[in-house]
Amino acid sequence: MASSINSLEAIQKKIDAVKLFLSVSLSIANAHTVDFYTCDVWDQFMAVPPVEVLTEITLNGDHKRAPEHYLNHGSGTTKKTTFGFCDDSKRLVDVAELLEAAYAHSLPGLGVCVGRTELLQSLRHTDNAQPLEEVPAAVVESDEFMNSKKSHEVQAMSEVVASLAQRCRVKQVIDVGSGKGYLCSFLSLQYGLQVYGIDSSSVNTHGAQERNRKLKKYSRAYQRHSKANRTQTVMPPSGQEDLEDIAPGERARGDMVKTSGDAEKEEGKGRRDGEAQTNTTGLTDRNEEDAMTSLTSAILLEDNSLPELDQSDPASAPEDPFLSALCVGMVEPTSPRVPPSELSLEERERRKRENLERKARSWVNSGGMGSGMLYSPLTSYVTAETELKEIIGELEDAVMVGLHTCGDLAPSTLRMFVAKRELLSVCSVGCCYHLLSEEFDPTRQECPSSSVCGFPLSGYLREQSWFCGRNARMSACLALERVAKGQGIQMESLFYRAVLHVILRDHYSSFKSEKRVGNVYSKATSFVDYVWRALRRLELDESKLSDGVIQGYHDTYRPRMVEMEAFNMLKVTLAPCIEGLILLDRLCYLKEQEDVAFSTLVQLFDPLLSPRCYGVVGVKAPGTELSK
């Protein structure tokens, strides 16, 4: 990584380029969809038909002109346009030029991010770094206890965090906004790190504490079984009570075997007969491949999926209360559990033997409870001024992380990293940009003068009093890659809300775009039903309207729905540029600090799986070979 690319001056130049683009185009992102028809938003900003916008976006041409082109040629030589907007009318006249400019001023177009692989190589090839080591026999198959999105995020980020810890020679990690503790548990189980998860929700931390309490009971039992398994190679006695040692994850896998075809069962039986004759080393190798799966599944599911040791009948425990609380499609459904009485004697003995060996080997090789196998969940509301030593009694030099920390918590994490001597590195992935407070909000509603605001963070943007606006920050949360793949916006609900606003204007003396009608659309069977539900929610006089009048509004504006669709697609196109400015501001803040030796933006995740895919990484450790 060349220093000229990552220098403070280079980042400031990138910020200037994005600012110039947004100074012309940000008005589209700040337009409120609710006001779309009442304020004639399309005619206000657009001088082209909506079909042309949608066609150009669908064609998705090679919109990859270098950003320097726009710095040197801010306006066209013949059209008198800037980024596709007419210099005189300020309306969009060239859609292709706007799309080209939008890509050029996104993080990929600016070329300011490094890839995760490149970052890992840089962290591992420094004099100060130690080889990255995983905990022996702690092979965690995260996709078995997390949905695909969370599994992808946790695995990708944990490797970066572990590399930062190795590079800085620390064993402590502080996860701010830890939530359910997925990242914390993975870092602890897979890399043997001592992790403190701080979350403001007592519900989250209480659940984690309860899991820790139960795991302490398991640790004593597993270590006892470990001694027996290391001195004996005979099978344990059979019996119904043996099933209490079968973990929930193993039951699920057994269910899949039980419900498979006859040929598959015969094949599996022959394979098990052969395995019974192999030596202990062969069994150990197979177990190490899947050593922590069942235990980790129990840890990360809700409390009842990790039963007490004195429960003799695992069937009595409620099944997957955590999964049942999630919305449909959030996680893959598990196979129905086969009652223990239906399992063959051979199957029960095999499962018990393999489970006990796995559990015992994991605990013995990792040193049991004393080696930081579990994380410590803590409940606290943290800000940049929080004294970590008051929360963590055994605080040492540490890495601070945050996976999808909402709103102001992400910049607060970076401020804490800069202010606290014991924090040697940081890896922060933010989200929920609409919840950021802005220092230069003209209304001062989001950030009172006495508060520390989340944006802008860098001295460079603060000197320029830059202001985005809440609607623009809301637009920054849109997922361009997902929309481009057909996972589009729910346009009908937006259309209903905008037409409702017309009705409120025409028939009720008081209306504001901030009025909340709540989740009415999901319950409505038609536009007429939607309006009646909304009027009741807003406590307005329903006698002023009839079904016919309401349907008439729908029929009048329905042909213009394409305008809203095209306009919102332009908002989606601008989203990466607004997000890019927010993240460049955070990177610039780190580069302004004298004691931060290295800082960069890194793409950690696949944007299709996890749209908020960029992380801000910083390292304080002296003597680094990495360029700042």
Side-chain angles (χ1 to χ4, degrees), residues 8-289:
L8 174 61
E9 293 75 17
I11 297 303
Q12 289 174 341
K13 185 177 180 180
K14 303 291 187 184
I15 289 176
D16 289 340
V18 180
K19 278 178 49 194
L20 179 61
F21 172 65
L22 291 180
S23 66
V24 177
S25 60
L26 195 63
S27 56
I28 288 181
N30 266 319
H32 205 306
T33 304
V34 170
D35 300 320
F36 191 80
Y37 297 122
T38 56
C39 296
D40 293 323
V41 170
W42 183 264
D43 290 336
Q44 182 180 347
F45 293 104
M46 315 299 288
V48 293
V51 174
E52 181 178 333
V53 173
L54 294 173
T55 300
E56 192 64 39
I57 292 175
T58 302
L59 290 175
N60 194 23
D62 187 17
H63 307 306
K64 298 184 179 180
R65 191 176 295 176
E68 287 75 13
H69 166 85
Y70 298 100
L71 286 175
N72 299 327
H73 305 88
S75 59
T77 56
T78 58
K79 298 181 183 178
K80 292 184 179 180
T81 63
T82 303
F83 307 126
F85 289 85
C86 175
D87 291 343
D88 296 329
S89 67
K90 310 301 180 185
R91 299 166 75 198
L92 181 65
V93 295
D94 191 329
V95 180
E97 186 177 353
L98 174 63
L99 297 181
E100 290 176 357
Y103 177 83
H105 295 93
S106 65
L107 291 180
L110 292 168
V112 71
C113 286
V114 301
R116 192 176 70 93
T117 301
E118 182 182 357
L119 175 66
L120 290 172
Q121 291 174 348
S122 298
L123 291 173
R124 294 168 183 171
H125 290 80
T126 59
D127 292 338
N128 200 45
Q130 298 292 310
L132 182 61
E133 298 180 358
E134 296 184 0
V135 176
V139 180
V140 183
E141 297 182 15
S142 61
D143 57 344
E144 292 200 11
F145 53 82
M146 292 182 243
N147 62 65
S148 58
K149 175 181 180 292
K150 182 60 66 177
S151 175
H152 170 67
E153 294 165 352
V154 166
Q155 291 191 70
M157 188 166 179
S158 63
E159 189 175 9
V160 172
V161 174
S163 295
L164 287 169
Q166 290 282 352
R167 191 214 167 279
C168 296
R169 299 173 181 264
V170 301
K171 294 293 290 182
Q172 280 192 1
V173 175
I174 301 172
D175 184 359
V176 180
S178 55
K180 291 286 185 180
Y182 292 117
L183 179 63
C184 297
S185 297
F186 196 87
L187 285 169
S188 179
L189 290 166
Q190 189 80 352
Y191 296 101
L193 295 167
Q194 182 182 9
V195 187
Y196 293 94
I198 304 176
D199 196 274
S200 61
S201 170
S202 60
V203 175
N204 288 338
T205 52
H206 175 75
Q209 288 167 348
E210 184 65 12
R211 284 190 288 272
N212 280 356
R213 181 185 68 81
K214 294 179 180 181
L215 279 169
K216 289 179 182 178
K217 294 184 178 181
Y218 270 106
S219 69
R220 292 192 292 269
Y222 293 162
Q223 291 181 42
R224 286 197 300 270
H225 288 306
S226 153
K227 293 178 182 178
N229 285 341
R230 287 193 297 173
T231 58
Q232 300 179 13
T233 58
V234 297
M235 285 187 179
S238 61
Q240 181 70 25
E241 67 277 9
D242 293 345
L243 290 177
E244 69 181 356
D245 292 311
I246 301 177
E250 288 299 300
R251 296 186 200 120
R253 279 195 291 277
D255 300 342
M256 295 170 65
V257 174
K258 187 70 176 177
T259 56
S260 58
D262 291 339
E264 204 170 352
K265 280 193 278 187
E266 287 302 318
E267 180 184 353
K269 182 178 184 301
R271 193 163 51 245
R272 289 193 297 273
D273 291 340
E275 288 172 356
Q277 299 174 7
T278 61
N279 57 30
T280 306
T281 303
L283 181 60
T284 298
D285 292 340
R286 186 179 70 252
N287 289 339
E288 287 183 353
E289 184 72 19

Side-chain angles (χ1 to χ4, degrees), residues 503-561:
I503 294 175
L504 295 178
R505 179 197 64 184
D506 293 349
H507 296 273
Y508 299 90
S509 58
S510 176
F511 74 98
K512 293 182 179 179
S513 60
E514 306 86 55
K515 279 186 176 288
R516 313 282 183 183
V517 299
N519 189 22
V520 173
Y521 173 79
S522 63
K523 303 173 184 178
T525 58
S526 64
F527 178 71
V528 173
D529 184 38
Y530 171 86
V531 172
W532 289 129
R533 289 176 178 270
L535 292 178
R536 287 192 290 271
R537 179 67 61 86
L538 297 173
E539 298 180 345
L540 295 175
D541 183 5
E542 300 178 39
S543 64
K544 294 184 177 182
L545 298 173
S546 65
D547 288 355
V549 170
I550 294 173
Q551 187 62 40
Y553 276 95
H554 176 275
D555 297 344
T556 298
Y557 285 94
R558 184 61 180 81
R560 295 182 57 188
M561 186 175 172

Side-chain angles (χ1 to χ4, degrees), residues 410-449:
S412 290
T413 299
L414 299 179
R415 286 192 173 106
M416 277 190 282
F417 163 67
V418 169
K420 312 301 181 185
R421 178 187 56 80
E422 57 270 13
L423 299 178
L424 300 187
S425 60
V426 66
C427 182
S428 171
V429 181
C431 67
C432 303
Y433 302 126
H434 61 293
L435 298 179
L436 277 172
S437 60
E438 293 201 59
E439 181 176 358
F440 301 103
D441 174 16
T443 65
R444 305 300 298 177
Q445 293 180 353
E446 295 181 344
C447 186
S449 57

